[in-house]
Amino acid sequence: MTEEQNNPAGNGTNGEGPTHSGFVALIGATNAGKSTLVNRLVGAKVSIVSHKVQTTRAIVRGIAIHNNAQIVFMDTPGIFKPRRRLDRAMVTTAWGGAKDADVIMFLIDSERGLKGDAETILEGLKEVHQPKILVLNKVDRVNPEDLLKLAAAANEVVKFERTFMISALNGSGCEDVLDYLAAALPEGPWYYPEDQISDLPMRQLAAEITREKLFLRLHQELPYSSHVETERWEERKDGSVRIEQVIYVERDSQKKIALGKNGDAIKAISMASRKELSEILEQPVHLFLFVKVRENWGDDPARFREMGLDFPTS
């Protein structure tokens, strides 16, 4: 078999040995650093990050090339005790992503350790049969002795193939994770073209970028159920793009918060989002944001489909 036949997507390799490819699901409690780690491993912004818990809602796939391997990272929603329909959809999506993966990467915030949701997830992993690796994040903030105790405690509950100690923020230890995964994934052709870093459509990525800026600006005041949709995308003759987006909130009081006094909040959000989108798209962006009230959108199946989530019927 020729290299071209073994690699039908036309992927570039270093020409030494067969190609590897596969899916790696990142699971963990909310705010464990999954999105930051995916962005670090991919080497580009593919998943939004904010201080607000449950920022990631649906599975975001970030694609990394390392050695001869294409590693497709699945950034899943944080797993927590669900209270509402949206919560249940997110948690179900996270566990579904884990069960569809070739390798599961369980990420723990080393500062928080095995408390609350992290302990519950660890117990749940007993029922998942794919190979699993343990990744302790934020290790630069924790005493080495405590890290070893944490790793030992987790490995007593679940048999992990390997344990890694990293900092997603500064990149420490991340190269070791890539080396391991590149060798551990099965041989086979790559799933995506070599220059593709995410499977997220650009319209959806643009909406996610604006949602990130919304939460960064208003994370204390606005509930995480707020939603952004890209309603219009127009490529213009001068090489720029006009993007119109709607921020949906559930009540009039939330609309006032999103707009801010004299429109200050929405202007700042628009400016920050437009700047990042211009950098990603490498073209001028004209961004227009609107805020609308959509009561009880959390019970609307169409909104769940828009976010890439299955609508829980119970």
Side-chain angles (χ1 to χ4, degrees), residues 168-238:
L169 202 57
N170 66 32
S172 173
C174 291
E175 193 76 9
D176 295 334
V177 175
L178 288 170
D179 287 343
Y180 174 82
L181 293 172
L185 291 176
E187 288 186 18
W190 293 355
Y191 293 98
Y192 299 94
E194 185 176 5
D195 59 353
Q196 187 170 339
I197 61 170
S198 175
D199 69 344
L200 206 61
M202 190 51 68
R203 291 172 67 104
Q204 193 174 340
L205 177 60
E208 287 289 275
I209 294 295
T210 299
R211 188 163 66 93
E212 177 188 64
K213 306 312 175 194
L214 178 73
F215 285 163
L216 288 174
R217 172 85 184 191
L218 301 170
H219 73 278
Q220 295 290 353
E221 297 95 336
L222 211 58
Y224 83 92
S225 57
S226 306
H227 179 54
V228 180
E229 292 181 14
T230 300
E231 296 208 335
R232 184 180 178 191
W233 187 291
E234 179 189 351
E235 297 285 347
R236 305 176 71 172
K237 292 180 181 179
D238 62 2

Side-chain angles (χ1 to χ4, degrees), residues 15-308:
E16 298 174 5
T19 56
H20 292 244
S21 59
F23 292 82
V24 178
L26 272 77
I27 68 167
T30 56
N31 276 7
K34 296 184 301 299
S35 297
T36 301
L37 180 56
V38 166
N39 292 340
R40 169 70 62 179
L41 295 174
V42 172
K45 177 78 163 279
V46 294
S47 194
I48 68 172
V49 180
S50 85
H51 305 298
K52 207 169 190 68
V53 297
Q54 294 111 43
T55 300
T56 300
R57 288 175 176 164
I59 291 175
V60 177
R61 293 175 181 85
I63 305 159
I65 306 298
H66 191 72
N67 299 335
N68 271 13
Q70 185 178 74
I71 309 167
V72 185
F73 292 102
M74 303 161 67
D75 182 13
T76 64
I79 297 174
F80 58 103
K81 187 175 181 179
R83 291 178 297 174
R84 306 189 306 172
R85 194 187 297 269
L86 178 59
D87 299 342
R88 294 197 299 275
M90 288 161 59
V91 171
T92 299
T93 294
W95 280 116
K99 291 172 182 176
D100 288 340
D102 295 291
V103 176
I104 296 170
M105 183 187 302
F106 178 36
L107 191 66
I108 295 179
D109 180 334
S110 298
E111 287 188 296
R112 285 186 284 176
L114 287 175
K115 296 176 183 175
D117 293 329
E119 186 177 19
T120 303
I121 297 166
L122 189 62
E123 288 294 326
L125 283 173
K126 291 179 180 178
E127 308 303 318
V128 181
H129 303 298
Q130 285 93 329
K132 295 172 278 289
I133 63 174
L134 175 67
V135 179
L136 304 184
N137 191 23
K138 307 178 186 178
V139 297
D140 49 326
R141 304 181 187 178
V142 180
N143 184 293
E145 237 178 70
D146 293 333
L147 287 172
L148 292 174
K149 289 178 183 177
L150 175 58
N155 276 277
E156 280 182 14
V157 180
V158 171
K159 179 176 171 51
F160 292 100
E161 304 291 326
R162 286 280 299 274
T163 297
F164 296 90
M165 299 188 183
I166 68 150
S167 168
L169 202 57
N170 66 32
S172 173
C174 291
E175 193 76 9
D176 295 334
V177 175
L178 288 170
D179 287 343
Y180 174 82
L181 293 172
L185 291 176
E187 288 186 18
W190 293 355
Y191 293 98
Y192 299 94
E194 185 176 5
D195 59 353
Q196 187 170 339
I197 61 170
S198 175
D199 69 344
L200 206 61
M202 190 51 68
R203 291 172 67 104
Q204 193 174 340
L205 177 60
E208 287 289 275
I209 294 295
T210 299
R211 188 163 66 93
E212 177 188 64
K213 306 312 175 194
L214 178 73
F215 285 163
L216 288 174
R217 172 85 184 191
L218 301 170
H219 73 278
Q220 295 290 353
E221 297 95 336
L222 211 58
Y224 83 92
S225 57
S226 306
H227 179 54
V228 180
E229 292 181 14
T230 300
E231 296 208 335
R232 184 180 178 191
W233 187 291
E234 179 189 351
E235 297 285 347
R236 305 176 71 172
K237 292 180 181 179
D238 62 2
S240 66
V241 59
R242 177 190 173 96
I243 302 172
E244 295 181 8
Q245 295 178 331
V246 178
I247 298 170
Y248 287 104
V249 294
E250 293 183 303
R251 293 187 292 276
D252 281 322
S253 59
Q254 295 169 4
K255 180 177 180 178
K256 292 176 183 176
I257 293 170
L259 291 171
K261 187 176 181 181
N262 300 321
D264 289 348
I266 198 72
K267 288 175 188 173
I269 293 162
S270 178
M271 187 180 301
S273 184
R274 182 171 63 248
K275 182 176 183 295
E276 183 158 336
L277 286 171
S278 295
E279 292 170 357
I280 291 172
L281 296 171
E282 298 181 338
Q283 65 186 124
V285 171
H286 307 283
L287 178 63
F288 298 86
L289 297 183
F290 307 91
V291 184
K292 295 183 181 180
V293 176
R294 181 185 274 160
E295 293 182 4
N296 301 318
W297 75 262
D299 295 322
D300 182 356
R303 302 281 71 77
F304 281 71
R305 287 194 297 272
E306 178 74 24
M307 290 186 287

